[in-house]
Amino acid sequence: MVVLPSPVVQRRAVAWLLLLALGLAAPDIARAQSAKATAPIPAATLALMSQKGTSASAPVLFRAYKKESEIEVWKKAASGRFVHIKTFPICRWSGQLGPKRKTGDRQTPEGFYSVPPRQMNPNSSYYLSFDVGYPNAYDRAHGFTGSAVMVHGVCSSMGCFAMTDQVVGEIYAIARDAFAGGQAAFQFQSYPFRMSAANMARYRTDPNIAFWRQLKEGSDRFEATGEEPNVTVTAGRYAFLPYKDPALESLVTARRVQEEARIASLVEDGSAAVRTTYSDGAQHPFWAALSAKGVSLGDVSRPEALAYAGQDVIVIPAQRRPVLVAEAVWSRWMVAASVPALMRVRGFKPAYETEPSRFAALVMRYDQTLPTMLSASLTGQMPPPAPPAIIETLAQR
């Protein structure tokens, strides 16, 4: 007769076996995590940095664009300006264009965020990651809720920027080496789309346009100067402290005036106004093309939603203004087209090219013709009409 241990003893035995297994596996897990977090920046990327006059230890800045599904890497060069190094395709982001407002809305945030070293996560469940810093001062001023919005691996998003493991590994390494070089925190700028004049005119009727104008001001400051904008929040709005160098501020002013003029011109010319809707976010065409070829992207969140990504709803159709052409020009076009080449007489001149007749001012309407000509003759403005020769001959008979 075999006596089985009690259920309690069995559970304890299983627990001890699990602990033993975990204890044996823990060093391997730790080594794997350490290897991911300490992997060097690829040599090709280091070469790009060198070509742009910067290095791995120089300060870094990231710019994300939801509609284009891209994250740009910028590094500070020896000149003091940030220079563009490379652009990474986003594998998945979720939600719609517009800011994140509450927990569970699946929105990837928009705004200006700060990432210190403590927000880097080498032990992420999504390979590697860093927290972008949502909610920031602007988000809190508007009562927005949520947390743990990450740039991470894999291709699954619930409000994060999902980059795949390999891509996030490189992004993580770039940020890590900038911290090692002495950068206290890097700026993460998140936009709905590239903040061009054309896009601002295109989305001018969107409910978020007032918020996006604030983001554009910060974007313009960076584009004009190549220096990180100093962001604050005042009365629930993004505000930007002036640069200490007046020359930089003059560059900002010039760009702002130029961009506003471009927007106004596009609107005046009748450019279309649209809203772009998504079933649940989108991904970069690079990843979509790979997936279409049968390449596995791993865990992709809500793949069925990608078929309905980026649907433009036209709010105001494009209405191009007619091109105004001077009368002297279009009249020439009309005459040239109306007289067939075979019917044109050599030396022909259209009426608008001939000199006006000296009688033109005198001849108005038929019933006024004779009195006007007689009056002109009496006052000496024109000689009296001579009778035809046939009349003189008859009169002499």
Side-chain angles (χ1 to χ4, degrees):
M1 180 178 179
V2 179
V3 179
L4 297 174
S6 68
V8 175
V9 173
Q10 292 181 36
R11 286 195 296 270
R12 287 177 179 175
V14 171
W16 278 109
L17 288 173
L18 288 173
L19 288 173
L20 178 61
L22 289 173
L24 293 173
D28 293 335
I29 295 173
R31 281 193 293 270
Q33 291 287 1
S34 176
K36 290 188 298 183
T38 58
I41 299 173
T45 302
L46 291 174
L48 285 174
M49 292 181 186
S50 179
Q51 292 171 14
K52 298 292 183 72
T54 185
S55 65
S57 60
V60 69
L61 181 148
F62 294 95
R63 309 181 87 195
Y65 305 95
K66 289 163 63 172
K67 188 174 188 297
E68 291 81 3
S69 297
E70 292 178 342
I71 291 182
E72 294 176 345
V73 179
W74 293 70
K75 296 279 286 182
K76 181 171 281 191
S79 63
R81 292 176 62 98
F82 278 89
V83 292
H84 176 243
I85 302 301
K86 65 189 306 183
T87 300
F88 292 102
I90 298 174
C91 192
R92 197 74 172 86
W93 61 271
S94 57
Q96 306 289 325
L97 300 183
K100 181 176 180 63
R101 290 184 167 84
K102 63 182 180 180
T103 304
D105 62 3
R106 297 185 65 84
Q107 284 286 101
T108 45
E110 296 170 6
F112 297 89
Y113 297 91
S114 180
V115 182
R118 67 175 180 275
Q119 290 170 208
M120 304 287 285
N121 185 7
N123 302 311
S124 174
S125 300
Y126 297 97
Y127 196 73
L128 294 168
S129 65
F130 64 79
D131 190 320
V132 302
Y134 174 91
N136 62 11
Y138 177 93
D139 303 322
R140 292 192 297 271
H142 290 267
F144 297 167
T145 59
S147 62
V149 175
M150 318 293 285
V151 174
H152 62 60
V154 305
C155 193
S156 178
S157 172
M158 293 185 292
C160 297
F161 300 90
M163 307 300 298
T164 74
D165 294 354
Q166 182 178 354
V167 172
V168 82
E170 184 171 346
I171 290 175
Y172 188 96
I174 293 171
R176 179 202 63 215
D177 284 9
F179 286 135
Q183 187 173 11
F186 64 79
Q187 190 171 87
F188 186 86
Q189 303 175 2
S190 181
Y191 300 106
F193 38 70
R194 296 191 182 278
M195 308 306 286
S196 64
N199 276 335
M200 296 304 290
R202 184 174 176 81
Y203 290 95
R204 63 186 180 271
T205 61
D206 193 284
N208 294 300
I209 190 62
F211 169 66
W212 290 341
R213 288 193 184 106
Q214 298 173 48
L215 300 189
K216 178 165 176 55
E217 182 178 351
S219 176
D220 283 347
R221 297 187 74 83
F222 182 77
E223 294 284 347
T225 66
E227 292 205 1
E228 180 179 312
N230 194 342
V231 185
T232 62
V233 176
T234 304
R237 292 178 53 86
Y238 278 114
F240 304 91
L241 299 180
Y243 293 112
K244 294 180 180 179
D245 186 351
L248 294 180
E249 274 303 303
S250 66
L251 292 175
V252 173
T253 301
R255 180 177 177 86
R256 295 287 295 154
V257 170
Q258 184 182 53
E259 287 293 283
E260 289 300 319
R262 285 176 178 171
I263 296 170
S265 177
L266 287 166
V267 174
E268 186 179 358
D269 287 344
S271 65
V274 307
R275 290 187 65 184
T276 304
T277 64
Y278 299 82
S279 176
D280 186 21
Q283 70 178 178
H284 194 277
F286 170 80
W287 297 114
L290 281 183
S291 180
K293 292 178 180 179
V295 177
S296 175
L297 303 181
D299 182 18
V300 180
S301 59
R302 298 196 62 187
E304 75 283 354
L306 294 174
Y308 303 97
Q311 305 294 311
D312 283 345
V313 178
I314 298 177
V315 180
I316 301 176
Q319 297 178 345
R320 298 298 180 190
R321 290 190 304 174
V323 178
L324 300 180
V325 181
E327 182 179 354
V329 176
W330 62 253
S331 60
R332 288 171 183 266
W333 294 344
M334 293 178 64
V335 169
S338 62
V339 181
L342 294 176
M343 297 176 60
R344 293 175 191 165
V345 179
R346 185 175 181 180
F348 166 79
K349 285 187 178 181
Y352 55 80
E353 289 186 353
T354 57
E355 294 184 3
S357 169
R358 63 193 183 100
F359 300 108
L362 303 176
V363 180
M364 292 174 287
R365 294 198 310 270
Y366 176 78
D367 60 345
Q368 296 176 334
T369 300
L370 185 59
T372 304
M373 294 183 68
L374 287 175
S375 175
S377 178
L378 292 174
T379 57
Q381 294 183 24
M382 62 180 292
I390 186 62
I391 297 178
E392 293 182 355
T393 303
L394 292 173
Q396 294 173 0
R397 289 181 180 178

